[in-house]
mmCIF file of all heavy atoms in Angstrom:
data_model
loop_
_atom_site.group_PDB
_atom_site.id
_atom_site.type_symbol
_atom_site.label_atom_id
_atom_site.label_comp_id
_atom_site.label_asym_id
_atom_site.label_seq_id
_atom_site.Cartn_x
_atom_site.Cartn_y
_atom_site.Cartn_z
ATOM 1 N N ALA A 101 141.633 97.809 108.895
ATOM 2 C CA ALA A 101 142.613 98.181 109.937
ATOM 3 C C ALA A 101 142.194 99.417 110.762
ATOM 4 O O ALA A 101 142.477 99.509 111.931
ATOM 5 C CB ALA A 101 143.938 98.504 109.351
ATOM 6 N N THR A 102 141.424 100.215 110.186
ATOM 7 C CA THR A 102 140.952 101.509 110.985
ATOM 8 C C THR A 102 139.934 101.224 112.010
ATOM 9 O O THR A 102 139.791 102.126 112.877
ATOM 10 C CB THR A 102 140.543 102.665 109.971
ATOM 11 O OG1 THR A 102 139.514 102.227 109.218
ATOM 12 C CG2 THR A 102 141.663 103.071 109.089
ATOM 13 N N TRP A 103 139.212 100.128 111.968
ATOM 14 C CA TRP A 103 138.096 99.898 112.884
ATOM 15 C C TRP A 103 138.036 98.537 113.461
ATOM 16 O O TRP A 103 137.306 98.236 114.440
ATOM 17 C CB TRP A 103 136.850 100.188 112.157
ATOM 18 C CG TRP A 103 136.527 99.246 110.972
ATOM 19 C CD1 TRP A 103 136.713 99.515 109.759
ATOM 20 C CD2 TRP A 103 135.820 97.962 111.046
ATOM 21 N NE1 TRP A 103 136.245 98.440 108.965
ATOM 22 C CE2 TRP A 103 135.764 97.519 109.711
ATOM 23 C CE3 TRP A 103 135.381 97.187 112.117
ATOM 24 C CZ2 TRP A 103 135.211 96.272 109.446
ATOM 25 C CZ3 TRP A 103 134.814 95.914 111.804
ATOM 26 C CH2 TRP A 103 134.668 95.522 110.546
ATOM 27 N N ARG A 104 138.830 97.481 112.915
ATOM 28 C CA ARG A 104 138.606 96.160 113.258
ATOM 29 C C ARG A 104 138.572 95.831 114.707
ATOM 30 O O ARG A 104 137.894 95.049 115.253
ATOM 31 C CB ARG A 104 139.546 95.300 112.515
ATOM 32 C CG ARG A 104 139.312 93.656 112.709
ATOM 33 C CD ARG A 104 138.188 93.273 111.794
ATOM 34 N NE ARG A 104 137.865 91.895 111.993
ATOM 35 C CZ ARG A 104 138.554 90.956 111.363
ATOM 36 N NH1 ARG A 104 139.531 91.182 110.454
ATOM 37 N NH2 ARG A 104 138.215 89.683 111.473
ATOM 38 N N GLY A 105 139.478 96.477 115.523
ATOM 39 C CA GLY A 105 139.550 96.179 116.920
ATOM 40 C C GLY A 105 138.394 96.551 117.680
ATOM 41 O O GLY A 105 138.253 96.030 118.770
ATOM 42 N N ALA A 106 137.610 97.447 117.146
ATOM 43 C CA ALA A 106 136.378 97.883 117.886
ATOM 44 C C ALA A 106 135.187 97.196 117.629
ATOM 45 O O ALA A 106 134.189 97.292 118.347
ATOM 46 C CB ALA A 106 136.114 99.384 117.583
ATOM 47 N N PHE A 107 135.159 96.120 116.768
ATOM 48 C CA PHE A 107 134.007 95.395 116.394
ATOM 49 C C PHE A 107 134.371 93.882 116.308
ATOM 50 O O PHE A 107 135.534 93.580 116.321
ATOM 51 C CB PHE A 107 133.488 95.920 115.085
ATOM 52 C CG PHE A 107 133.070 97.327 115.049
ATOM 53 C CD1 PHE A 107 133.903 98.284 114.690
ATOM 54 C CD2 PHE A 107 131.801 97.699 115.475
ATOM 55 C CE1 PHE A 107 133.509 99.577 114.617
ATOM 56 C CE2 PHE A 107 131.411 99.073 115.378
ATOM 57 C CZ PHE A 107 132.311 100.082 115.073
ATOM 58 N N GLY A 108 133.275 93.133 116.253
ATOM 59 C CA GLY A 108 133.573 91.740 116.215
ATOM 60 C C GLY A 108 133.498 91.084 114.907
ATOM 61 O O GLY A 108 133.273 91.734 113.758
ATOM 62 N N LYS A 109 133.752 89.758 114.760
ATOM 63 C CA LYS A 109 133.770 89.032 113.606
ATOM 64 C C LYS A 109 132.458 89.231 112.674
ATOM 65 O O LYS A 109 132.526 89.292 111.470
ATOM 66 C CB LYS A 109 134.061 87.617 113.841
ATOM 67 C CG LYS A 109 134.438 86.728 112.638
ATOM 68 C CD LYS A 109 134.911 85.375 112.864
ATOM 69 C CE LYS A 109 135.301 84.556 111.588
ATOM 70 N NZ LYS A 109 135.709 83.388 111.892
ATOM 71 N N PRO A 110 131.319 89.202 113.320
ATOM 72 C CA PRO A 110 130.100 89.368 112.423
ATOM 73 C C PRO A 110 130.074 90.618 111.642
ATOM 74 O O PRO A 110 129.610 90.582 110.510
ATOM 75 C CB PRO A 110 128.957 89.313 113.478
ATOM 76 C CG PRO A 110 129.505 88.516 114.657
ATOM 77 C CD PRO A 110 130.914 89.025 114.597
ATOM 78 N N ASP A 111 130.547 91.685 112.230
ATOM 79 C CA ASP A 111 130.691 92.965 111.461
ATOM 80 C C ASP A 111 131.478 92.888 110.317
ATOM 81 O O ASP A 111 131.223 93.378 109.335
ATOM 82 C CB ASP A 111 131.114 94.105 112.432
ATOM 83 C CG ASP A 111 130.267 94.348 113.607
ATOM 84 O OD1 ASP A 111 129.284 94.983 113.602
ATOM 85 O OD2 ASP A 111 130.566 93.714 114.702
ATOM 86 N N PHE A 112 132.636 92.158 110.434
ATOM 87 C CA PHE A 112 133.568 92.014 109.399
ATOM 88 C C PHE A 112 132.964 91.186 108.193
ATOM 89 O O PHE A 112 132.957 91.468 107.049
ATOM 90 C CB PHE A 112 134.865 91.278 109.841
ATOM 91 C CG PHE A 112 135.648 90.763 108.662
ATOM 92 C CD1 PHE A 112 136.564 91.625 107.975
ATOM 93 C CD2 PHE A 112 135.735 89.345 108.356
ATOM 94 C CE1 PHE A 112 137.309 91.134 107.036
ATOM 95 C CE2 PHE A 112 136.593 88.944 107.405
ATOM 96 C CZ PHE A 112 137.342 89.834 106.682
ATOM 97 N N GLN A 113 132.167 90.065 108.555
ATOM 98 C CA GLN A 113 131.574 89.225 107.635
ATOM 99 C C GLN A 113 130.495 90.034 106.876
ATOM 100 O O GLN A 113 130.238 89.820 105.713
ATOM 101 C CB GLN A 113 130.994 88.003 108.308
ATOM 102 C CG GLN A 113 132.090 87.044 108.752
ATOM 103 C CD GLN A 113 132.977 86.542 107.673
ATOM 104 O OE1 GLN A 113 132.528 86.404 106.533
ATOM 105 N NE2 GLN A 113 134.231 86.200 107.954
ATOM 106 N N ASP A 114 129.790 90.861 107.546
ATOM 107 C CA ASP A 114 128.644 91.643 106.978
ATOM 108 C C ASP A 114 129.368 92.617 105.874
ATOM 109 O O ASP A 114 128.826 92.739 104.805
ATOM 110 C CB ASP A 114 127.924 92.530 108.024
ATOM 111 C CG ASP A 114 127.096 91.647 108.902
ATOM 112 O OD1 ASP A 114 126.751 90.388 108.530
ATOM 113 O OD2 ASP A 114 126.599 92.150 109.903
ATOM 114 N N ASN A 115 130.327 93.311 106.291
ATOM 115 C CA ASN A 115 131.018 94.215 105.302
ATOM 116 C C ASN A 115 131.590 93.438 104.135
ATOM 117 O O ASN A 115 131.433 93.879 103.021
ATOM 118 C CB ASN A 115 132.145 94.858 105.992
ATOM 119 C CG ASN A 115 131.769 96.108 106.797
ATOM 120 O OD1 ASN A 115 130.734 96.032 107.404
ATOM 121 N ND2 ASN A 115 132.600 97.127 106.845
ATOM 122 N N LEU A 116 132.125 92.317 104.385
ATOM 123 C CA LEU A 116 132.683 91.399 103.261
ATOM 124 C C LEU A 116 131.603 91.020 102.368
ATOM 125 O O LEU A 116 131.774 91.092 101.055
ATOM 126 C CB LEU A 116 133.424 90.255 103.859
ATOM 127 C CG LEU A 116 134.258 89.350 102.984
ATOM 128 C CD1 LEU A 116 135.406 90.202 102.354
ATOM 129 C CD2 LEU A 116 134.783 88.160 103.642
ATOM 130 N N GLN A 117 130.485 90.575 102.844
ATOM 131 C CA GLN A 117 129.340 90.109 101.950
ATOM 132 C C GLN A 117 128.890 91.361 101.169
ATOM 133 O O GLN A 117 128.611 91.117 99.964
ATOM 134 C CB GLN A 117 128.205 89.572 102.859
ATOM 135 C CG GLN A 117 127.116 89.065 102.058
ATOM 136 C CD GLN A 117 127.457 87.931 101.107
ATOM 137 O OE1 GLN A 117 128.377 87.161 101.478
ATOM 138 N NE2 GLN A 117 126.836 87.844 100.037
ATOM 139 N N GLN A 118 128.796 92.540 101.710
ATOM 140 C CA GLN A 118 128.321 93.706 100.883
ATOM 141 C C GLN A 118 129.364 93.955 99.759
ATOM 142 O O GLN A 118 128.943 94.266 98.632
ATOM 143 C CB GLN A 118 128.248 94.922 101.806
ATOM 144 C CG GLN A 118 127.111 94.882 102.838
ATOM 145 C CD GLN A 118 127.187 95.946 103.856
ATOM 146 O OE1 GLN A 118 128.003 96.808 103.797
ATOM 147 N NE2 GLN A 118 126.287 95.823 104.891
ATOM 148 N N VAL A 119 130.673 93.820 100.028
ATOM 149 C CA VAL A 119 131.629 94.048 98.932
ATOM 150 C C VAL A 119 131.477 92.961 97.839
ATOM 151 O O VAL A 119 131.550 93.276 96.684
ATOM 152 C CB VAL A 119 133.013 94.017 99.517
ATOM 153 C CG1 VAL A 119 134.033 94.130 98.428
ATOM 154 C CG2 VAL A 119 133.298 95.288 100.457
ATOM 155 N N TYR A 120 131.258 91.790 98.266
ATOM 156 C CA TYR A 120 131.128 90.608 97.260
ATOM 157 C C TYR A 120 129.898 90.766 96.468
ATOM 158 O O TYR A 120 129.918 90.344 95.305
ATOM 159 C CB TYR A 120 131.265 89.318 98.084
ATOM 160 C CG TYR A 120 132.548 88.935 98.405
ATOM 161 C CD1 TYR A 120 132.778 87.908 99.500
ATOM 162 C CD2 TYR A 120 133.703 89.310 97.825
ATOM 163 C CE1 TYR A 120 133.965 87.539 99.840
ATOM 164 C CE2 TYR A 120 135.009 88.913 98.214
ATOM 165 C CZ TYR A 120 135.109 87.938 99.247
ATOM 166 O OH TYR A 120 136.413 87.610 99.672
ATOM 167 N N GLU A 121 128.863 91.310 97.148
ATOM 168 C CA GLU A 121 127.658 91.486 96.298
ATOM 169 C C GLU A 121 127.854 92.594 95.283
ATOM 170 O O GLU A 121 127.279 92.541 94.103
ATOM 171 C CB GLU A 121 126.460 91.921 97.288
ATOM 172 C CG GLU A 121 125.957 90.812 98.074
ATOM 173 C CD GLU A 121 125.015 91.197 99.086
ATOM 174 O OE1 GLU A 121 124.552 92.333 99.116
ATOM 175 O OE2 GLU A 121 124.434 90.303 99.847
ATOM 176 N N LEU A 122 128.574 93.609 95.564
ATOM 177 C CA LEU A 122 128.847 94.675 94.713
ATOM 178 C C LEU A 122 129.828 94.199 93.524
ATOM 179 O O LEU A 122 129.644 94.601 92.399
ATOM 180 C CB LEU A 122 129.492 95.887 95.427
ATOM 181 C CG LEU A 122 129.680 97.249 94.586
ATOM 182 C CD1 LEU A 122 128.454 97.780 94.088
ATOM 183 C CD2 LEU A 122 130.473 98.229 95.486
ATOM 184 N N PHE A 123 130.848 93.497 93.977
ATOM 185 C CA PHE A 123 131.886 93.039 93.037
ATOM 186 C C PHE A 123 131.977 91.466 93.039
ATOM 187 O O PHE A 123 132.816 90.835 93.690
ATOM 188 C CB PHE A 123 133.222 93.640 93.335
ATOM 189 C CG PHE A 123 133.245 95.081 93.230
ATOM 190 C CD1 PHE A 123 133.539 95.789 94.389
ATOM 191 C CD2 PHE A 123 133.079 95.750 91.979
ATOM 192 C CE1 PHE A 123 133.678 97.269 94.325
ATOM 193 C CE2 PHE A 123 133.121 97.147 91.952
ATOM 194 C CZ PHE A 123 133.433 97.922 93.145
ATOM 195 N N PRO A 124 131.058 90.799 92.412
ATOM 196 C CA PRO A 124 131.068 89.303 92.401
ATOM 197 C C PRO A 124 132.348 88.697 92.036
ATOM 198 O O PRO A 124 132.752 87.657 92.495
ATOM 199 C CB PRO A 124 129.872 88.904 91.513
ATOM 200 C CG PRO A 124 129.015 90.104 91.482
ATOM 201 C CD PRO A 124 129.917 91.312 91.635
ATOM 202 N N LYS A 125 133.000 89.411 91.166
ATOM 203 C CA LYS A 125 134.360 88.787 90.686
ATOM 204 C C LYS A 125 135.359 88.608 91.740
ATOM 205 O O LYS A 125 136.213 87.760 91.746
ATOM 206 C CB LYS A 125 134.949 89.749 89.660
ATOM 207 C CG LYS A 125 134.278 89.767 88.298
ATOM 208 C CD LYS A 125 134.631 88.645 87.334
ATOM 209 C CE LYS A 125 134.203 88.798 86.005
ATOM 210 N NZ LYS A 125 134.552 87.494 85.130
ATOM 211 N N LEU A 126 135.253 89.581 92.791
ATOM 212 C CA LEU A 126 136.164 89.464 93.872
ATOM 213 C C LEU A 126 135.959 88.247 94.717
ATOM 214 O O LEU A 126 136.787 87.486 95.207
ATOM 215 C CB LEU A 126 136.085 90.736 94.830
ATOM 216 C CG LEU A 126 136.513 92.016 94.118
ATOM 217 C CD1 LEU A 126 136.426 93.179 95.099
ATOM 218 C CD2 LEU A 126 137.858 91.938 93.499
#
Side-chain angles (χ1 to χ4, degrees):
T102 58
W103 64 264
R104 186 76 183 277
F107 298 93
K109 190 172 182 179
D111 300 275
F112 169 76
Q113 292 298 331
D114 288 345
N115 278 37
L116 189 63
Q117 183 59 33
Q118 290 171 9
V119 170
Y120 284 157
E121 288 176 1
L122 184 66
F123 298 119
K125 288 281 189 182
L126 297 184

